[in-house]
Amino acid sequence: MNWRIPPVGTWGGTSLLLAALSLPLFATAQTLAAPWQGLRTVGQGEMRWLWFKLYDATLYSESGRYQPGRYPQALSLTYARAIERQDLLEATAAEWQRLGLGSESERQRWLAKLAALWPDVAPGDKLVFYVDEQGMGHFWLRDRLLGSLDDPAFAPAFLAIWLTDDSRDPALTRRLRGQS
């Protein structure tokens, strides 16, 4: 072999170059940090169907209190079972229909966007719906941004599935709101 170790100055220059090139990557990773991590827990509970646990749910807000329509807020769902995307979409559509949320055309538009964002979920997967200060909704899975919906009517309609007085599980709603 006809190679030699470069002088220390070369390694130092290479190290500085690599460090400088990695700064934008580090800054990008920091920018994409989960925005709800600075929020305070309002309440938490679990959703069961018959004797099966489906998921653990936690609601977060800036103040640690539930205030409808006051954002930022985040709803975290940590799944205990595998659920296919289509089943998630059908359950969401059924709840919106049952609760009378959105017009038929809005629901169809929202479901089409969710179908493009949501994957199947597995046990241990954490899906977070974060609503920013402007009321826009963002979905995260495993701390990775899936995508956003910029329709201001979407966030309240989606959160209502868990937080309205007429939710499927009123006890879970009260726990999420911090009322029990």
Side-chain angles (χ1 to χ4, degrees):
M1 290 190 181
N2 193 10
W3 60 275
R4 62 186 181 94
I5 298 174
V8 173
T10 303
W11 285 114
T14 303
S15 296
L16 286 174
L17 177 62
L18 287 174
L21 291 174
S22 66
L23 282 176
L25 295 174
F26 180 73
T28 301
Q30 292 299 314
T31 302
L32 292 179
W36 68 89
Q37 292 179 345
L39 300 179
R40 297 175 54 196
T41 301
V42 175
Q44 53 194 355
E46 65 181 37
M47 176 63 144
R48 291 185 163 276
W49 182 73
L50 299 175
W51 55 86
F52 297 108
K53 180 178 174 181
L54 298 178
Y55 54 78
D56 290 311
T58 305
L59 180 66
Y60 303 90
S61 75
E62 201 166 44
S63 67
R65 289 178 290 135
Y66 175 60
Q67 297 172 297
R70 185 155 182 178
Y71 305 117
Q73 288 182 20
L75 177 69
S76 169
L77 304 173
T78 303
Y79 290 89
R81 308 184 70 72
I83 304 175
E84 293 181 4
R85 174 184 59 190
Q86 190 58 40
D87 291 335
L88 294 171
L89 292 167
E90 288 172 8
T92 301
E95 285 305 293
W96 281 335
Q97 177 72 33
R98 185 181 72 78
L99 295 168
L101 298 169
S103 67
E104 182 62 29
S105 64
E106 283 177 314
R107 290 192 301 263
Q108 292 307 312
R109 188 173 62 250
W110 296 338
L111 289 168
K113 290 180 180 183
L114 292 176
L117 294 179
W118 286 353
D120 298 342
V121 294
D125 279 354
K126 181 174 158 181
L127 179 70
V128 177
F129 180 59
Y130 172 72
V131 185
D132 65 25
E133 294 83 1
Q134 290 76 39
M136 299 301 124
H138 312 274
F139 284 97
W140 295 68
L141 182 68
R142 295 181 223 109
D143 295 330
R144 193 187 98 226
L145 181 63
L146 294 176
S148 303
L149 282 91
D150 59 2
D151 182 340
F154 176 79
F158 189 75
L159 290 173
I161 294 171
W162 291 269
L163 301 174
T164 188
D165 290 335
D166 297 329
S167 73
R168 177 82 50 199
D169 186 341
L172 175 59
T173 297
R174 286 189 301 276
R175 287 190 299 274
L176 288 173
R177 290 177 175 180
Q179 296 172 338
S180 61

